[in-house]
């Protein structure tokens, strides 16, 4: 990523020179746009020479994450639908029809999110340990 | 034309100017930190989860959340309660399926992600069109909300609110891009929270709910709110379709997605999303409480007149004189913060995409694109009349859940999806949802079968997924050659 600027206060033989920075004038390159230096495992060269098939350990990691996420996502949607049906069937659903969607659902969403975050971080950690072993 | 409130316009104008001034000052601070193209587009990917969660919440809580939810509860009762549940659950979907992998893609924008994953120019162009259309469709209700709020509380003409929002947003976005917008949006979340919380505490004290001394006259009868207001099977299809649209539509909102590119890594993006669940839950209890109180207090025929102004009306209905004026001003200031933060997020995302596509991704191009991003919505908002805020935003969620969710979910999680399949899913979802909603609006809400067309997510989303899967499986295309490498990048955990 380059920046255009103009030298100010420069005299012959003096160093370093001060540069007035005007900000970037050029677009980011594809490398800048699509590669993050913090990507630990993959680098452009590795990617060009990389494997054609997913590493079995990585495939297993993706599968377990997808299974967990799908179970929680579909399960939570089902809970919402069943809660609605239960409230619609209830003959005494007046107050509950307000309290459940108005108050009860929010702690439930946070709890489900916390559960998933813990699980997925532990999956990642187990993958790192297995890979580094 | 909405009813004008009998409050002094001076405190409202002071409040709006104050919110604008705080936004501009905070943005100016961000400009001092903004030094590179990376700062402009993704705040150099160094935004912490706490800051980013506040910024996403600030951006996400729009006119529909701040004003629309309470109005919907006032008019439709328990049906309105499912909107904030769906809004919040949308970020559960984001946490489960999108946040971490999307951040690890390293993209600047959604079309960048599509290029990385599918290497298809045709699909990238379609994504650009969908992102820009989504942004424009979402900005219009914000500007309608601004017109409504300022004409109701400050007696300004209808064009004044949208023009004020656009001017402040451009002044915020153009100098510092994502870097300055991030800080401003984070502050705006807390402004919005306080703008509802403070009046709510005073209102509850006044009504005796929190044990305070009740004012003159009898308090409202809350039992009348609960009684006879149970859920019915008639609303089942509408509610379930709405929840699905909100849960999946959130992951297709470009202004929300672009914020996850600003986190340092995938884990930080996940933590941001989890913190968001807490911030949104804390906020959404407030408009729900306002809606319940409005249903108990605004029992006359005026309740049906412009229900989106219920939050603005309540303080002056419950308090007389200066107290009512001041609390109305606080709420109006919070509403203005909602219009500013959501619009600025949308402008940043649309400008980023337009700039990358048409102006070479330069900072100058970003600034030109920012003007283009607001020009058409401003023209539409000033030329059209106000529609129900929550309903208008729900339509945008329906559109993104049908058009964007299949692309993102299959692109992140399924190695077998082809560019042709993703294209087919996107076109099918976008066309089906837009045609269906247009048909529903043409039929009118009371017509037989109108609900099926006005809330089409329950069938549009599966149809879009099916189109993507069938074309990927049976079409002539094959998955991109570097699918394995890209999926590895999306799912590999960061080094420790």
């Amino acid at each position: 990523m380059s920046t255009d600027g103009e030298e100010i206060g420069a005299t012959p033989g003096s160093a370093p020179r001060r540069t007035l920075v005007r900000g970037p004038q050029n677009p980011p390159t594809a490398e800048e746009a699509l590669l993050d230096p913090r990507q630990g495992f993959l680098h452009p060269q590795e990617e060009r020479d990389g494997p054609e098939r997913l590493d079995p350990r990585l495939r297993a990691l993706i599968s377990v994450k997808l299974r967990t996420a799908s179970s929680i996502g579909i399960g939570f949607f089902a809970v919402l639908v069943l809660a609605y049906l239960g409230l619609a069937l209830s003959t005494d659903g007046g107050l509950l029809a307000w309290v459940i969607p108005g108050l009860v659902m929010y702690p439930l969403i946070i709890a489900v999110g916390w559960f998933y975050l813990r699980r997925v971080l532990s999956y990642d950690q187990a993958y790192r340990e297995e890979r580094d072993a | 034309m909405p009813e004008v409130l009998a409050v002094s316009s001076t405190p409202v104008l002071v409040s709006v100017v104050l919110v604008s001034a705080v936004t501009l000052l905070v943005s100016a601070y961000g400009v001092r930190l903004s030094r590179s193209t990376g700062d402009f587009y993704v705040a150099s990917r160094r935004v912490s989860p706490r800051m980013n969660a506040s910024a996403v919440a600030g951006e996400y809580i729009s006119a529909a959340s701040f004003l629309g939810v309470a109005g919907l509860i006032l008019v439709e009762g328990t049906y309105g309660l499912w909107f904030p549940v769906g809004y919040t659950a949308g970020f559960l979907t984001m946490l489960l399926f999108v946040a971490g992998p999307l951040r690890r893609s390293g993209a600047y924008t959604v079309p960048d992600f599509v290029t990385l994953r599918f290497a298809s120019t045709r699909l990238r162009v379609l994504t650009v069109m969908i992102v820009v259309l989504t942004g424009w469709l979402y900005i219009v209700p914000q500007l309608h909300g601004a017109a409504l709020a300022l004409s109701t509380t400050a007696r300004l003409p209808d064009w004044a609110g949208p023009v004020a929002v656009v001017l402040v947003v451009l002044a915020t976005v153009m100098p510092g891009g994502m870097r300055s917008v991030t800080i401003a949006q984070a502050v705006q979340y807390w402004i919005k929270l306080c703008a509802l919380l403070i009046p709510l505490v005073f209102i509850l004290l006044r009504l005796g709910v929190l044990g305070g001394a009740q004012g003159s006259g009898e308090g409202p009868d809350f039992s009348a709110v609960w009684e006879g207001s149970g859920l019915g099977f008639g609303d089942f299809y509408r509610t379930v379709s709405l929840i699905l649209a909100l849960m999946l539509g959130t992951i297709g909102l470009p202004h929300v997605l672009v914020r996850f590119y600003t986190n340092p890594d995938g884990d930080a993006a996940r933590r941001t999303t989890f913190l968001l669940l807490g911030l949104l839950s804390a906020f959404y209890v407030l408009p729900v409480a306002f809606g319940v109180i409005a249903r108990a207090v605004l029992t006359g025929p005026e309740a049906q007149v412009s229900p989106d102004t219920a939050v603005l009306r309540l303080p002056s209905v419950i308090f007389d004189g200066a107290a009512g004026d001041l609390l109305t001003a606080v709420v109006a200031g919070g509403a203005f913060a909602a219009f500013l933060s959501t619009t600025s997020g949308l402008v940043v995302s649309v400008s980023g995409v337009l700039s990358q596509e048409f102006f070479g991704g330069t900072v100058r191009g970003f600034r030109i694109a920012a003007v283009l991003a607001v020009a058409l919505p401003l023209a539409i908002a000033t030329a059209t009349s106000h529609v129900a805020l929550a309903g208008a935003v729900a339509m945008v969620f329906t559109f993104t859940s049908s058009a964007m969710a299949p692309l993102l979910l299959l692109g992140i999680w399924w190695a077998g999806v082809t560019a042709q399949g993703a294209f087919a899913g996107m076109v099918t979802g976008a066309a089906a949802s837009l045609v269906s909603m247009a048909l529903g609006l043409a039929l009118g809400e009371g017509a037989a079968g109108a609900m099926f067309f006005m809330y089409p997510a329950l069938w549009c989303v599966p149809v879009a997924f099916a189109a993507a899967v069938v074309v990927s499986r049976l079409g002539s295309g094959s998955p991109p050659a570097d699918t394995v490498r890209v999926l590895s990048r999306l799912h590999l955990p960061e080094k420790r």
Side-chain angles (χ1 to χ4, degrees), chain B residues 118-173:
Chain B
F118 296 102
S120 163
T121 307
R122 196 172 61 139
L123 189 57
R124 182 182 177 102
V125 170
L126 180 64
T127 310
V128 168
M129 290 166 63
I130 298 282
V131 165
V132 173
L133 182 61
T134 303
W136 280 342
L137 289 174
Y138 211 127
I139 290 173
V140 171
Q142 312 311 314
L143 301 182
H144 275 151
L148 181 73
L150 291 191
S151 62
T152 306
T153 57
R155 300 182 188 84
L156 293 180
D158 280 348
W159 56 265
V163 168
V165 168
V166 165
L167 290 178
V168 177
V169 164
L170 287 180
T172 310
V173 169

Side-chain angles (χ1 to χ4, degrees), chain A residues 24 27 33-36 38-39 41-42 47 52 58 65 69 84 87 98 101 106 110 114 116 121 127-128, chain B residues 37 84-85 95-97 103-106 229 231-232 235-236 265 271 274 360 484-485 488-489 491-494:
Chain A
L34 298 177
L35 290 179
D36 178 0
R38 285 191 57 145
Q39 286 292 327
F41 292 101
L42 290 171
E47 292 194 355
E52 290 304 313
L58 181 57
K65 281 184 186 175
Y84 186 94
L87 291 170
W98 287 84
Y106 299 105
I110 294 172
W114 180 80
Y116 173 76
L121 291 178
Y127 176 85
R128 283 191 202 97
Chain B
T37 306
V85 170
L95 172 64
L96 297 174
F97 296 104
R103 170 59 194 90
R104 285 177 181 139
S105 75
S229 62
L231 302 175
D235 264 348
F236 180 69
D265 55 36
R271 291 179 200 280
F274 173 67
V484 168
R485 287 187 289 269
S488 299
R489 180 193 291 181
H491 294 286
L492 274 172
E494 287 81 6

